[in-house]
Amino acid sequence: MARAEHPSGRAATLSDVARIAGVSLATASKAINGRDQVAPATRRRVIEAAEQISFTPNELARSLIAGRTGTVGLLTNDLEGRFVIPILMGAEDAFGAGQVNVFLCDARGDAIREQHQLKALLNRRVDGIIVVGRQTDPRPSLGHDLPVPVVYAYAPSDDPTDVSVTPDNVAGGRMALEHLLACGRRRIAHISGDPAYAAAQDRAVGVREALADAGLELVGDVMFADWSEHWGRDASAMLLAQHPDIDGIVCASDQIARGVLDTLRDLGRRVPEDVAVIGYDNWEILATNSRPELTSIDANLQQLGRAAARRVFEAIDGIEGDAGTHALPVRLVIRGSTIPRR
Amino acid sequence: MARAEHPSGRAATLSDVARIAGVSLATASKAINGRDQVAPATRRRVIEAAEQISFTPNELARSLIAGRTGTVGLLTNDLEGRFVIPILMGAEDAFGAGQVNVFLCDARGDAIREQHQLKALLNRRVDGIIVVGRQTDPRPSLGHDLPVPVVYAYAPSDDPTDVSVTPDNVAGGRMALEHLLACGRRRIAHISGDPAYAAAQDRAVGVREALADAGLELVGDVMFADWSEHWGRDASAMLLAQHPDIDGIVCASDQIARGVLDTLRDLGRRVPEDVAVIGYDNWEILATNSRPELTSIDANLQQLGRAAARRVFEAIDGIEGDAGTHALPVRLVIRGSTIPRR
DNA sequence: GAAAGTTCCGAAATGCCTTTCGGCACGCTA
DNA sequence: TAGCGTGCCGAAAGGCATTTCGGAACTTTC
């Protein structure tokens, strides 16, 4: 096994360094941490000694004194899903490599397990917690009797006095529709996902609002079912049978949009010339491999993660964050399914 | 902000408990940790006191004494990719919720950053480290002068004296081909991905071996380019133009297979009746949404993660693991692209 | 040359918990 | 009643690093 016992048999400690350098613990500590009250020559001696035995300060002991650990817990229920990861990356990014470390816990959707994880995190004295949900539906709050700040990301807390950050799905729906309008489309339908998801409802609201603002109406009703390609194929087939004159489709996910593209192709409709299609999520692997490539709404999840991390930071530093759910802006990524490419 | 200062202003400590219960620190510790040498009545009193002020032992102090922290570092370069997550889940799973916690670090492919992360992990005195690569190509070893055991997952270490676990790509290629043979196919081609990837080469080896064992030869050469749907579409178009009589295609990824299915559909070939297609990775979102659904090879990544965790465990407990790269079995997932479904 | 002021270093306390070991009190045996 | 064993509790050390504060050694000033 890749394990090399140090010569001493244990990791080097500060007193080892002090002994070798011929100074006291206190002096060694000061020298290494760059505090003054240490003569340059002494400092050099200490640092050399430290390097010699490759001393690294025990972060545990440090944390014990400092009262903060420089760790943050990330509690999720949806590692499998693709939404958590970018958020996690954003958070890790914001925390800065090496400064703060993230404890990752996946509760697998089990409330008991979540409690366990939470307790473990608190025992480890994390400085803060980010809770990442699997959908944008509100989730139960962890409560307020926790000794550390908590920020909810993606899925907001159901308690309005908690701090939550979530993507702005209404704005996303609106943005998608406005793009189709800008592309000259007027007969637009909306194929959505599972109606039980707040995300589906919110995006539909945005779509409707934008249409109303333009003095238009949706062609047919919003079509709800699930988030799959299958549904995208079926829904669009039904849609075109009923409304052959349609010229734009807003899809509530890229998967749905992929299905829609398939059907349109089968039916001989050209995209985007005959029908423009826009997806949602900007899941690159899907969006950039379709024919044509898929215009989509990107929820800026990495930025969401950064925002969550920033708020945790502020709270740790004692800055009062404003409670409530903060909807973060999304962005449009234009590809060939709405605007023809050479 | 969701932060409730404890009445005392700080988290409860063991001495608080002891004071309230009217016993000494030592007794309080014993009572709470279920050690004997404590009278039942005393124990009860202590536990009540602890609950009253919601005391939770400071894991930091504990770790400091125990010499082990119950934490493991997971060092990766590929959070974006889809391979790390199942491995991570498997590892988390094996470690058991609440027993061991995982520090997640993403080095973003930057060696400097990786060094930083590594150092941070060591400072935090993790008990072990799992290194997860982005491809199955060997990666540089972290070296042997580390005070904790290291296990490499997915991407093996380039140092054969390290412990590595990786999926068995040769067996996977073989398995894919044998399945096509079992389906009665004899004129089989292989569309692979980026030839620079060990995974692509290994799978091709397996395919060739299995063909040779059956006394057959590959139709055409192995086609290498990249892992995309685009390539799958283009490659299969070329293939069918040259070898119209083909009846089976092994694809080195599900993405490629999706492209192949598209082309076959466009050309009016029925799958699986005319041509059977098998993918690789068993990426459900792709495999179960295609027409027909895609038979694929699953690398059992979650199990890989568990195996890595187990080996780290063993090493922590002082059990000598056998060094070298361990290829873990993969499995076949049969769907409609090779066997007709009603 | 003595008083005052700098520099630099070290002893000790601190944070929180576990564990060892000594000792007190009680009950039992001879 | 003396002696011994047993059960229960507490003082103190230990793990690692930081910080405060007192003091020794040296320099400056008059």
Side-chain angles (χ1 to χ4, degrees):
Chain A
M1 178 94 332
R3 158 184 250 164
E5 292 303 324
H6 275 251
S8 60
R10 296 232 63 50
T13 85
L14 187 60
S15 45
D16 295 335
V17 176
R19 188 158 15 81
I20 294 180
V23 299
S24 75
L25 248 71
T27 306
S29 173
K30 288 180 216 157
I32 286 177
N33 294 322
R35 317 191 63 69
D36 49 5
Q37 304 226 321
V38 179
T42 311
R43 185 186 304 278
R44 211 171 327 113
R45 248 187 18 256
V46 171
I47 290 179
E48 273 168 17
E51 277 170 2
Q52 184 186 326
I53 60 176
S54 62
F55 163 81
T56 60
N58 187 326
E59 205 59 49
L60 266 54
R62 243 181 195 173
S63 303
L64 197 55
I65 297 168
R68 60 149 81 188
T69 54
T71 60
V72 166
L74 201 147
L75 207 49
T76 177
N77 281 307
D78 183 36
L79 262 187
E80 276 183 288
R82 65 190 180 288
F83 299 122
V84 177
I85 306 306
I87 294 174
L88 198 157
M89 289 181 71
E92 231 224 329
D93 223 57
F95 287 136
Q99 290 297 320
V100 173
N101 284 101
V102 176
F103 276 121
L104 184 66
C105 301
D106 184 10
R108 304 276 198 287
D110 178 351
I112 307 285
R113 191 163 169 153
E114 185 175 277
Q115 279 303 312
H116 271 259
Q117 311 259 34
L118 174 60
K119 192 162 179 199
L121 289 177
L122 293 179
N123 286 358
R124 292 200 189 281
R125 298 295 190 267
V126 293
D127 294 332
I129 295 179
I130 299 180
V131 180
V132 185
R134 72 185 334 150
Q135 324 160 186
T136 60
D137 297 74
R139 55 148 286 150
S141 172
L142 291 183
H144 280 220
D145 50 347
L146 296 175
V148 296
V150 179
V151 171
Y152 298 79
Y154 206 66
S157 164
D158 61 3
D159 182 337
T161 62
D162 286 328
V163 177
S164 307
V165 289
T166 190
D168 192 337
N169 281 312
V170 175
R174 174 181 281 279
M175 189 179 283
L177 196 112
E178 285 170 351
H179 175 59
L180 290 190
L181 290 178
C183 294
R185 310 307 160 131
R186 291 298 177 271
R187 295 179 301 283
I188 302 176
H190 181 29
I191 301 177
S192 187
D194 185 337
Y197 281 55
Q201 299 295 344
D202 292 345
R203 289 167 197 175
V205 167
V207 166
R208 281 225 173 77
E209 282 181 5
L211 268 170
D213 288 355
L216 295 173
E217 282 196 348
L218 203 60
V219 175
D221 277 332
V222 179
M223 306 177 77
F224 289 107
D226 61 47
W227 300 101
S228 70
E229 286 191 56
H230 288 300
W231 165 239
R233 288 196 284 262
D234 296 347
S236 48
M238 287 160 39
L239 188 67
L240 285 162
Q242 282 193 293
H243 306 281
D245 61 339
I246 218 150
D247 63 5
I249 303 179
V250 176
C251 303
S253 83
D254 288 341
Q255 286 191 74
I256 293 173
R258 285 290 301 249
V260 169
L261 290 183
D262 270 1
T263 293
L264 290 173
R265 186 178 182 80
D266 286 353
L267 296 181
R269 305 283 184 124
R270 291 171 305 160
V271 177
E273 291 80 359
D274 301 331
V275 183
V277 176
I278 181 167
Y280 206 110
D281 291 336
N282 191 34
W283 192 2
E284 301 240 348
I285 233 95
L286 291 182
T288 64
N289 277 290
S290 59
R291 290 179 295 177
E293 298 195 355
L294 197 55
T295 295
S296 192
I297 303 292
D298 188 310
N300 284 329
L301 293 180
Q302 204 155 337
Q303 202 168 311
L304 191 79
R306 270 197 287 273
R310 190 157 27 75
R311 284 179 183 276
V312 167
F313 262 152
E314 292 174 355
I316 290 173
D317 293 339
I319 302 173
E320 256 335 271
D322 35 333
T325 299
H326 303 270
L328 265 58
V330 299
R331 90 191 134 87
L332 174 69
V333 178
I334 299 176
R335 297 199 185 85
S337 69
T338 54
I339 294 187
R341 298 285 160 110
R342 289 136 285 138
Chain B
M1 178 97 329
R3 158 182 252 165
E5 292 303 325
H6 275 251
S8 60
R10 296 229 63 49
T13 84
L14 186 59
S15 45
D16 296 335
V17 176
R19 189 160 11 83
I20 293 180
V23 298
S24 75
L25 246 73
T27 307
S29 173
K30 288 180 215 158
I32 285 177
N33 294 323
R35 315 192 66 68
D36 49 4
Q37 304 223 323
V38 179
T42 311
R43 185 186 304 278
R44 211 170 328 113
R45 245 185 24 251
V46 171
I47 290 178
E48 273 168 16
E51 278 171 2
Q52 184 187 323
I53 59 175
S54 62
F55 163 80
T56 60
N58 187 327
E59 204 61 48
L60 265 54
R62 252 185 185 167
S63 303
L64 197 56
I65 297 166
R68 59 148 82 187
T69 54
T71 60
V72 166
L74 202 149
L75 207 49
T76 178
N77 280 308
D78 183 36
L79 263 187
E80 276 183 287
R82 64 190 181 288
F83 299 123
V84 176
I85 305 306
I87 294 174
L88 197 158
M89 289 181 71
E92 231 223 331
D93 222 55
F95 286 136
Q99 290 297 321
V100 173
N101 285 100
V102 176
F103 276 120
L104 185 66
C105 301
D106 184 9
R108 305 276 198 287
D110 178 351
I112 307 285
R113 190 163 168 154
E114 185 175 276
Q115 279 303 312
H116 271 258
Q117 311 260 31
L118 175 60
K119 192 161 179 200
L121 289 176
L122 293 178
N123 286 357
R124 293 201 188 282
R125 297 299 190 266
V126 293
D127 295 331
I129 295 180
I130 298 180
V131 180
V132 184
R134 71 185 336 151
Q135 325 160 184
T136 60
D137 297 75
R139 55 148 287 151
S141 172
L142 291 183
H144 280 221
D145 50 348
L146 296 175
V148 296
V150 179
V151 171
Y152 298 79
Y154 206 67
S157 163
D158 61 4
D159 181 338
T161 62
D162 286 327
V163 176
S164 307
V165 290
T166 189
D168 192 337
N169 282 311
V170 175
R174 175 181 281 278
M175 189 179 282
L177 196 111
E178 285 169 351
H179 175 60
L180 290 190
L181 290 177
C183 293
R185 311 306 162 131
R186 292 297 177 270
R187 294 179 302 282
I188 301 175
H190 181 29
I191 301 177
S192 188
D194 185 337
Y197 281 55
Q201 298 296 344
D202 291 346
R203 290 168 195 173
V205 167
V207 166
R208 281 224 172 79
E209 282 181 6
L211 268 170
D213 289 356
L216 295 174
E217 282 198 347
L218 202 60
V219 175
D221 277 333
V222 179
M223 306 177 75
F224 289 107
D226 61 49
W227 301 101
S228 70
E229 285 192 55
H230 289 298
W231 165 238
R233 287 196 286 261
D234 296 347
S236 50
M238 285 160 39
L239 187 67
L240 285 162
Q242 284 195 293
H243 308 281
D245 60 340
I246 219 153
D247 63 4
I249 303 179
V250 176
C251 304
S253 82
D254 288 341
Q255 286 191 74
I256 293 173
R258 285 290 302 248
V260 169
L261 290 182
D262 271 1
T263 293
L264 290 173
R265 186 179 181 81
D266 286 353
L267 297 180
R269 305 283 184 124
R270 292 171 305 159
V271 177
E273 291 81 358
D274 302 333
V275 183
V277 176
I278 182 166
Y280 207 111
D281 291 336
N282 191 34
W283 192 4
E284 302 240 348
I285 240 86
L286 291 182
T288 64
N289 278 290
S290 58
R291 289 177 296 177
E293 297 195 356
L294 197 55
T295 295
S296 191
I297 303 292
D298 188 310
N300 285 329
L301 293 180
Q302 204 155 339
Q303 202 168 310
L304 192 80
R306 270 197 286 273
R310 189 157 27 74
R311 285 180 182 275
V312 167
F313 262 152
E314 292 174 356
I316 291 173
D317 293 339
I319 302 172
E320 256 335 271
D322 35 334
T325 298
H326 303 271
L328 266 58
V330 298
R331 88 190 136 86
L332 175 68
V333 178
I334 299 176
R335 298 201 184 84
S337 69
T338 55
I339 294 187
R341 297 286 161 107
R342 290 135 285 136

